[in-house]
């Protein structure tokens, strides 16, 4: 099972999180953790989601990037980020 962490920047709309969760499930990924914060200055969401699956991450990453309200998607592979997520 492969573990990945994605950092997603998106517009703050009621349906944004629902769409993210639906795509994650449809692509065959299991969510291990989810953290969401709203930037008070620009109103955008910063979502960090840790997922696991046998499937390639690119299939999920590409679908999330296609969501209307998503501004940016990045995989967080830095050892310090992974370490803090499991500390």
């Amino acid at each position: 099972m492969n573990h990945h962490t994605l950092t997603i920047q998106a517009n703050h709309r009621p349906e944004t999180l629902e769409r993210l969760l639906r795509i994650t499930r449809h692509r065959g990924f299991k969510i291990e953790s989810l953290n969401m914060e709203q930037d008070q200055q620009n109103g955008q969401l910063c979502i960090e989601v840790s997922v696991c699956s046998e499937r390639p991450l690119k299939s999920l990453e590409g679908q999330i990037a296609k969501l209307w309200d998503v501004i940016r998607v990045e995989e967080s592979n830095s050892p310090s980020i992974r370490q803090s997520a499991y500390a």
Side-chain angles (χ1 to χ4, degrees):
M1 189 79 62
N2 299 315
H3 301 269
H4 307 279
T5 300
L6 293 174
T7 302
I8 303 161
Q9 184 178 5
N11 293 318
H12 188 217
R13 299 195 33 100
E15 63 273 17
T16 302
L17 186 57
E18 180 183 337
R19 289 178 178 157
L20 173 66
L21 295 174
R22 184 178 40 203
I23 283 179
T24 303
R25 179 174 53 91
H26 284 209
R27 289 292 163 187
F29 284 80
K30 179 180 173 186
I31 294 178
E32 296 181 314
S33 69
L34 176 71
N35 183 36
M36 182 177 81
E37 295 180 7
Q38 182 179 3
D39 185 331
Q40 297 301 321
Q41 294 182 347
N42 60 18
Q44 294 176 347
L45 296 175
C46 182
I47 304 167
E48 184 174 289
V49 60
S50 296
V51 296
C52 65
S53 178
E54 294 294 330
R55 297 181 177 195
L57 182 64
K58 289 295 178 191
S59 66
L60 176 62
E61 199 173 3
Q63 290 300 310
I64 290 173
K66 291 180 184 177
L67 290 175
W68 182 259
D69 291 315
V70 170
I71 299 165
R72 187 174 51 143
V73 180
E74 292 179 344
E75 182 178 10
S76 305
N77 279 332
S78 126
S80 62
I81 291 173
R82 284 209 171 267
Q83 188 174 24
S84 67
Y86 295 109

